[in-house]
């Protein structure tokens, strides 16, 4: 008997399509190299990484071995790099593009705490030197650059554990959501302010992101990085170009009074949106290069190029950021400056989590009622049309109109009064036959 495809798939499990791409980039392999090793075309490899197709049989086994080789075993892998199998990876628009990664509450909240440690890192991260160079190779999955004042990413956990709440069977969804909101809302507000320079827009973006998270809470609660899920939604809404049409968000808020923070904020806001977001995720939040590329919907070389150009533009405006002798120290200095700028923004005006949940449920009810009403209206109009429409086709009668340019009908002409008088006279004659042709006498 031959082995079924189900048995083969269970014997050689493959990661998600986005995880396949991230693993390939983590091994510094191009699509052409994978295609040559597997004996397929580049389009086939691309379809494997986008989820359109999946390898089967021996190719599945070889592909799983190729992208998984070189990774540490589960015993040697730290808890920060292990994930639970079968965990769903459903995200909003930008988070779907982001590769799956473990939760990072300490890393995300890094902007809310100033960097005080000056101890050099025990393992310096790989600097980004040039686009396409070997120095741009991403780190291993689940790791982040060891910047001063940072810590390793903890083990993947549900939303309650990511928010610092112990996991328990009696924890309700409301309590888990409130814990997540209290843990990360302030930090996300400060991060969003660095992206937009508008406090009202930042507050609105964070509230909308958490409302969307509560609306899709069954998905967010089991996500391996719920804080990243909310962060991606907040960033997407905050950087939407449609806000330019709103009068309340056209002008920036008053800049900070100190010259240093004001110059740094001006330098950030002058960057293109994609460059600004890449710089904030890498140097501010502390994501590694592959995760930053996935969240910004770009390739790893493109993210590295954006990061280099953003650093160069900020350093040109702030020459003191270039005092570090290495890219690692420059990144740490920029991280410290971004943290200090974010801490200067008060987050006391954020709404309580109960209001976020209530508003999300109210909007969901309104949309549901509107959809039901619209459906009932369409059904009523359809029934009315079916009841009043004719059952057979009737040819419409064209209106009468005068026709011109037609020649008169042929035949004898109309008799004149003289002709009628002669006809009457002849009819009154008693004489018949040829005699009638004889002219009368006298």
């Amino acid at each position: 008997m031959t082995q079924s495809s189900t048995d083969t798939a269970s014997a050689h499990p493959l990661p998600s399509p986005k995880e396949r791409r991230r693993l390939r980039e983590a091994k510094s392999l191009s699509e052409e190299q994978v295609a040559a090793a597997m004996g397929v075309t580049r389009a086939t490899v691309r379809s494997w990484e986008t989820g359109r197709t999946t390898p089967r049989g021996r190719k599945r086994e070889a592909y799983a071995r190729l992208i998984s080789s070189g990774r540490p075993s589960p015993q040697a892998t730290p808890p920060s790099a292990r994930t639970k199998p079968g965990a769903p990876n459903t995200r909003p628009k930008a988070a779907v593009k982001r590769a799956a990664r473990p939760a990072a509450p300490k890393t995300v909240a890094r902007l809310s705490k100033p960097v005080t440690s000056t101890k050099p890192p025990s393992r310096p991260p790989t600097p980004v030197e040039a686009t396409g160079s070997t120095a741009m190779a991403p780190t291993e999955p689940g790791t982040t650059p060891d910047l001063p004042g940072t810590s390793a990413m903890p083990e993947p956990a549900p939303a309650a554990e990511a928010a610092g709440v112990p996991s328990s069977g009696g924890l309700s969804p409301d309590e888990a959501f409130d814990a997540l909101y209290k843990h990360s809302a302030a930090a996300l507000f400060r991060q969003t302010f660095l992206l937009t320079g508008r406090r009202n827009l930042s507050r609105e973006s964070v509230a909308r992101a958490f409302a969307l998270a509560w609306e899709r809470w069954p998905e967010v609660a089991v996500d391996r990085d719920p804080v990243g899920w909310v962060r991606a939604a907040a960033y997407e809404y905050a950087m939407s170009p449609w806000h330019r049409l709103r009068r309340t968000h056209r002008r920036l808020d008053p800049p900070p009074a100190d010259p240093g923070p004001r110059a740094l904020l001006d330098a950030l806001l002058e960057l293109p949106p994609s460059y600004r977001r890449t710089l904030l995720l890498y140097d501010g939040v502390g994501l590694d290069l592959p995760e930053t590329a996935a969240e910004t919907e770009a390739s790893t070389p493109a993210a590295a190029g954006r990061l280099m150009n953003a650093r160069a533009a900020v350093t040109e405006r702030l020459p003191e950021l270039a005092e570090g002798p290495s890219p690692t120290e420059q990144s740490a200095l920029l991280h410290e400056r971004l943290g200090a700028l974010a801490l200067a923004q008060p987050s006391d005006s954020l709404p309580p989590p109960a209001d976020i949940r209530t508003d999300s449920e109210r909007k969901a009810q309104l949309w549901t009622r509107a959809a039901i009403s619209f459906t009932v209206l369409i059904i009523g109009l359809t029934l009315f049309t079916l009841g009043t429409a004719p059952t057979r086709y009737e040819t419409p009668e064209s209106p009468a109109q005068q026709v011109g340019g037609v020649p008169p009908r042929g035949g004898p002409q109309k008799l004149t009064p003289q002709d009628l008088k002669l006809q009457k006279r002849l009819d009154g004659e008693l004489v018949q036959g040829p005699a009638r042709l004889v002219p009368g006498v006298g």
Side-chain angles (χ1 to χ4, degrees):
M1 295 179 60
T2 59
Q3 189 178 14
S4 63
S5 59
T6 305
D7 298 338
T8 304
S10 59
H12 304 285
L14 288 177
S16 62
K18 297 302 179 183
E19 184 71 9
R20 300 170 195 171
R21 171 194 168 188
R22 193 180 67 82
L23 291 176
R24 175 180 60 79
E25 292 182 347
K27 295 175 62 62
S28 301
L29 294 176
S30 62
E31 294 180 354
E32 292 82 358
Q33 294 174 345
V34 176
M38 297 299 300
V40 295
T41 61
R42 179 182 178 184
T44 303
V45 176
R46 187 175 303 170
S47 65
W48 290 350
E49 294 182 354
T50 55
R52 292 194 298 267
T53 59
T54 303
R56 298 182 179 180
R58 296 182 177 179
K59 288 189 180 297
R60 182 187 184 93
E61 178 182 359
Y63 183 64
R65 187 183 303 109
L66 178 63
I67 63 176
S68 301
S69 62
R71 292 189 299 171
S73 60
Q75 293 78 7
T77 305
S80 60
R82 293 199 297 267
T83 58
K84 298 180 181 179
N89 191 22
T90 307
R91 308 283 177 101
K93 179 182 176 183
V96 168
K97 298 293 183 180
R98 186 177 67 250
R101 60 180 183 275
K106 296 182 181 179
T107 305
V108 175
R110 210 176 300 160
L111 287 181
S112 61
K113 298 180 180 180
V115 178
T116 57
S117 174
T118 57
K119 183 180 179 180
S122 58
R123 180 182 59 83
T126 305
V128 180
E129 296 181 357
T131 303
S133 64
T134 57
M136 190 198 55
T139 57
E140 290 295 328
T143 60
T144 54
D146 291 341
L147 299 178
T150 62
S151 59
M153 303 176 84
E155 186 177 358
E161 296 180 7
V165 179
S167 177
S168 61
L171 192 64
S172 63
D174 298 351
E175 296 174 350
F177 177 83
D178 294 351
L180 177 64
Y181 182 86
K182 294 177 182 178
H183 172 76
S184 57
L188 290 178
F189 168 77
R190 295 185 176 98
Q191 297 171 23
T192 312
F193 174 77
L194 297 182
L195 284 178
T196 60
R198 300 171 176 86
R199 296 179 181 84
N200 292 334
L201 179 58
S202 303
R203 189 180 304 108
E204 181 181 345
S205 302
V206 173
R208 186 179 181 90
F210 275 99
L212 182 62
W214 178 246
E215 181 181 348
R216 305 181 183 178
W217 186 248
E219 305 172 7
V220 180
V222 297
D223 195 275
R224 60 185 65 183
D225 186 10
V227 180
W229 197 102
V230 180
R231 181 183 64 236
Y235 284 13
E236 285 291 335
Y237 182 81
M239 303 187 69
S240 175
W242 294 104
H243 295 310
R244 304 173 186 172
L245 304 178
R246 303 174 60 181
R247 182 176 300 178
T248 56
H249 297 326
R250 288 181 182 177
R251 296 182 179 180
L252 298 176
D253 291 350
D258 297 337
R262 182 193 310 169
L264 178 58
L265 183 60
D266 293 341
L268 286 176
L269 297 179
E270 288 183 0
L271 296 175
S274 58
Y275 288 44
R276 194 187 319 154
R277 185 174 181 179
T278 302
L279 182 66
L280 178 62
L281 289 175
Y282 189 86
D283 288 331
V285 179
L287 301 184
D288 58 5
L289 198 57
E291 292 177 346
T292 302
E295 186 162 331
T296 56
E297 303 180 12
S299 62
T300 304
R306 293 175 181 177
L307 181 62
M308 292 173 52
N309 295 331
R311 283 180 177 176
V314 174
T315 306
E316 184 179 358
R317 293 287 302 271
L318 303 172
E320 62 272 13
L321 295 178
E323 295 178 356
S326 65
T328 302
E329 297 183 4
Q330 294 178 4
S331 178
L333 182 58
L334 182 59
H335 171 75
E336 182 180 357
R337 295 288 299 274
L338 289 175
L341 178 60
L343 279 176
Q345 309 305 321
S347 59
D348 300 336
S349 58
L350 291 175
D355 294 349
I356 298 293
R357 290 188 282 104
T358 303
D359 185 67
S360 178
E361 294 172 357
R362 182 181 59 84
K363 290 182 179 179
Q365 292 177 358
L366 291 178
W367 279 108
T368 303
R369 294 174 182 175
I372 294 175
S373 302
F374 183 75
T375 303
V376 172
L377 178 62
I378 293 296
I379 294 175
L381 293 177
T382 303
L383 295 177
F384 176 77
T385 303
L386 292 176
T388 57
T391 57
R392 59 188 181 87
Y393 178 75
E394 296 180 358
T395 305
E397 296 181 0
S398 58
Q401 57 182 356
Q402 184 178 3
V403 180
V406 180
R409 190 176 65 177
Q413 301 293 330
K414 186 177 181 181
L415 298 179
T416 61
Q418 292 81 5
D419 296 337
L420 293 175
K421 184 177 180 182
L422 179 61
Q423 183 182 14
K424 183 177 179 181
R425 179 182 173 185
L426 293 177
D427 291 341
E429 294 291 341
L430 300 177
V431 180
Q432 298 181 357
R436 297 186 60 183
L437 300 178
V438 180
V441 179

